[in-house]
Amino acid sequence: MPETIPHTGVPSTMIEQLLLKSLYYNGELVGRELAQRLGLRFSVIEAILEGFKRTHHVTVRSSLGMGAISSRFVLTESGRELAKEFVATNAYSGRVPVPLFQYSDMVRRQKQENGWLTPEALREAYKHMVVTPELLNQIGPAVNSGKSFLIYGQPGNGKTYLAEALFNVDPTYIYVPYAIEAQGMIIQMFDPVYHHPVDESPDTISAFTTEPSYDQRWFKCHRPFIVTGGELALEMLDLSFNPVAKFYDAPLQLKANNGIYLIDDFGRQKVTPAEVLNRWIVPMERRVDYLSFQNGGKMTIPFECFLVFSSNLKPDQLGDEAFLRRIQYKMLMKSPSEQEFTEIFVNCAAKQGLACPPELVDRFLARHYRPTGKPRRRCHPRDVLSHAIDIIRFERRPTVLTDEVLALAFESNFVSTDEDD
């Protein structure tokens, strides 16, 4: 926790503006509550409040009798006018931003150390999936290195599901700032879609509330896991300026620092694979990224997210050899063997509360896959069983899987090339 204004690393004028804007947006606040909204100790902002009282921008409406920390502060008319000017310049209100140099230092401190991942931890993360030791031996070194990773193969073989399971690999927490200050600009980092704070302070505010154990300008959360697909555009990878609020929103890779950023369906974006990968050349090699402000200024930030690409396209459809060399690790997600397919089928049925003996799956394969050479996909058991359950419910059948039900489910799930004239 910063003990003084210089310890925050940001100009005192920025804290003054945020204090007035908090009172402007909230009407009136108790001293401790105001400090908590800024993420600071009350002792840090007490002198600022006293200065605003002397200039008649802030007044005390009431007090619990335990000093300024229990006083209820409100803006005067001149204070409201001054706050309006600040809001017109920058409408950001909330925790005091963390200076860029403090953020960069923390990102590097929270980077995974070499050799952090063990085979046992990897197996535990994938215990809910049917994966072979060979597959884990391919995933392990890529994840442990934290370098870029391409997973490719036929659609329906679980590439995205496999990548999403990486979220289970590392259960540790990290600290992320609510906002960053760089060159006088405010960049909002907190995104409720991707960041889920833990161990939040209690909502009840009183003069006796226990002091937090760490700087409240940061929130504690799981390592982020961010996914974008075909909607990805290059402008989403740079600072986004809000012309109304007049502050910036962090790009996705910045929000994903110390976590994982999955670009799903790679090659189907609004931009070409070459354009996407060219955007990552410097960050992947130097572990730093460069972002641009609206006024032409630039900022350098650490790039410490594990970049994962998942694609249904063949590698040669994504780019040439030199292009693909920039992605450090590649893995082909193969179609399952009959043994894997059977195990997936039995496990999926069990999750639905259905008994499914391997002999039933073997007959299913013998009837629908082996004679025609139809490719097996890891998603087929889930899809067929979903249809089977729908059939059982609609026809009021006993909740039991049979050859007939599975045949009907197969027919309704896949397109037939034969037509009856």
Side-chain angles (χ1 to χ4, degrees):
M1 293 288 288
E3 298 290 343
T4 64
I5 289 176
H7 287 164
T8 65
V10 298
S12 59
T13 53
M14 179 173 286
I15 300 176
E16 292 169 2
Q17 292 181 19
L18 287 170
L19 188 152
L20 289 180
K21 285 189 283 187
S22 287
L23 287 172
Y24 178 76
Y25 286 130
N26 293 280
E28 58 181 54
L29 292 169
V30 175
R32 181 180 291 279
E33 185 178 12
L34 178 57
Q36 288 185 341
R37 286 181 181 274
L38 299 179
L40 300 174
R41 284 195 170 103
F42 181 77
S43 59
V44 176
I45 65 168
E46 188 172 11
I48 296 177
L49 280 169
E50 288 299 319
F52 281 141
K53 285 166 63 180
R54 286 194 297 271
T55 56
H56 305 290
H57 292 321
V58 173
T59 187
V60 175
R61 174 160 290 178
S62 62
S63 175
L64 295 177
M66 288 171 283
I69 196 171
S70 68
S71 298
R72 190 172 293 277
F73 294 92
V74 64
L75 293 176
T76 63
E77 189 58 36
S78 64
R80 286 183 61 81
E81 291 302 316
L82 185 58
K84 283 182 183 178
E85 293 179 17
F86 293 148
V87 169
T89 304
N90 185 315
Y92 174 82
S93 178
R95 308 295 171 99
V96 173
V98 170
L100 178 59
F101 74 89
Q102 288 184 6
Y103 171 71
S104 299
D105 179 63
M106 182 60 79
V107 169
R108 294 188 174 97
R109 286 171 180 265
Q110 296 182 133
K111 179 184 176 182
Q112 293 286 12
E113 297 180 359
N114 292 331
W116 68 273
L117 180 62
T118 64
E120 294 75 22
L122 189 64
R123 284 195 294 270
E124 178 66 20
Y126 281 93
K127 66 180 182 181
H128 64 293
M129 295 178 61
V130 176
V131 290
T132 62
E134 292 75 22
L135 193 65
L136 292 178
N137 288 338
Q138 286 184 281
I139 298 171
V143 177
N144 193 53
S145 72
K147 297 175 183 177
S148 49
F149 188 26
L150 169 65
I151 306 172
Y152 64 97
Q154 293 294 328
N157 271 336
K159 295 181 297 298
T160 302
Y161 191 44
L162 183 87
E164 289 175 344
L166 293 173
F167 181 75
N168 302 318
V169 171
D170 186 3
T172 59
Y173 297 119
I174 61 167
Y175 293 90
V176 180
Y178 285 91
I180 298 173
E181 180 274 331
Q183 302 176 26
M185 310 292 183
I186 296 178
I187 303 152
Q188 183 169 277
M189 280 285 292
F190 175 63
D191 190 328
V193 176
Y194 307 116
H195 301 133
H196 307 286
V198 297
D199 295 338
E200 284 288 272
S201 301
D203 293 333
T204 304
I205 306 297
S206 76
F208 303 104
T209 305
T210 304
E211 285 285 359
S213 60
Y214 61 90
D215 188 344
Q216 293 298 286
R217 296 178 299 164
W218 303 73
F219 58 91
K220 184 180 179 182
C221 68
H222 287 283
R223 292 183 180 270
F225 186 94
I226 295 179
V227 182
T228 52
E231 76 281 6
L232 179 65
L234 288 183
E235 55 265 25
M236 295 168 64
L237 304 178
D238 211 336
L239 293 170
S240 173
F241 182 71
N242 186 324
V244 177
K246 296 182 174 60
F247 60 86
Y248 292 87
D249 188 48
L252 295 170
Q253 72 275 18
L254 184 52
K255 295 177 182 178
N257 259 339
N258 294 129
I260 298 172
Y261 182 18
L262 168 62
I263 299 180
D264 199 16
D265 213 9
F266 184 46
R268 309 283 189 187
Q269 279 69 38
K270 298 178 181 178
V271 292
T272 66
E275 289 176 304
V276 174
L277 204 53
N278 285 338
R279 173 62 182 83
W280 298 119
I281 289 176
V282 172
M284 286 192 298
E285 291 182 354
R286 301 183 185 176
R287 310 309 295 176
V288 295
D289 198 6
Y290 300 95
L291 304 177
S292 303
F293 291 110
Q294 195 180 41
N295 62 8
K298 288 187 178 294
M299 64 181 286
T300 304
I301 60 166
F303 183 85
E304 293 297 347
C305 62
F306 180 35
L307 197 57
V308 182
F309 300 91
S310 172
S311 180
N312 295 333
L313 302 178
K314 295 179 180 178
D316 58 8
Q317 293 178 284
L318 297 172
D320 58 24
E321 184 179 350
F323 173 88
L324 292 171
R325 191 172 61 246
R326 302 185 188 281
I327 302 178
Q328 296 292 316
Y329 285 86
K330 296 93 174 172
M331 185 185 77
L332 170 63
M333 191 70 174
K334 298 178 181 178
S335 296
S337 65
E338 285 199 359
Q339 181 181 348
E340 289 177 275
F341 187 91
T342 301
E343 190 175 349
I344 294 170
F345 211 110
V346 172
N347 289 350
C348 284
K351 289 178 182 178
Q352 298 293 337
L354 295 169
C356 183
E359 305 80 48
L360 179 62
V361 183
D362 187 67
R363 293 196 299 272
F364 178 74
L365 287 166
R367 180 174 180 178
H368 300 288
Y369 285 84
R370 291 171 192 155
T372 61
K374 181 178 179 61
R376 297 176 297 275
R377 301 287 184 245
R378 296 176 190 273
C379 68
H380 288 179
R382 177 201 64 197
D383 297 341
V384 169
L385 286 168
S386 174
H387 282 231
I389 291 171
D390 291 339
I391 292 168
I392 288 171
R393 288 172 178 169
F394 176 71
E395 298 184 0
R396 305 296 192 272
R397 290 172 177 256
T399 311
V400 177
L401 290 177
T402 63
D403 294 308
E404 181 188 3
V405 168
L406 290 181
L408 292 171
F410 182 88
E411 291 172 9
S412 65
N413 195 65
F414 297 102
V415 176
S416 175
T417 57
D418 296 328
E419 290 188 15
D420 229 352
D421 296 330

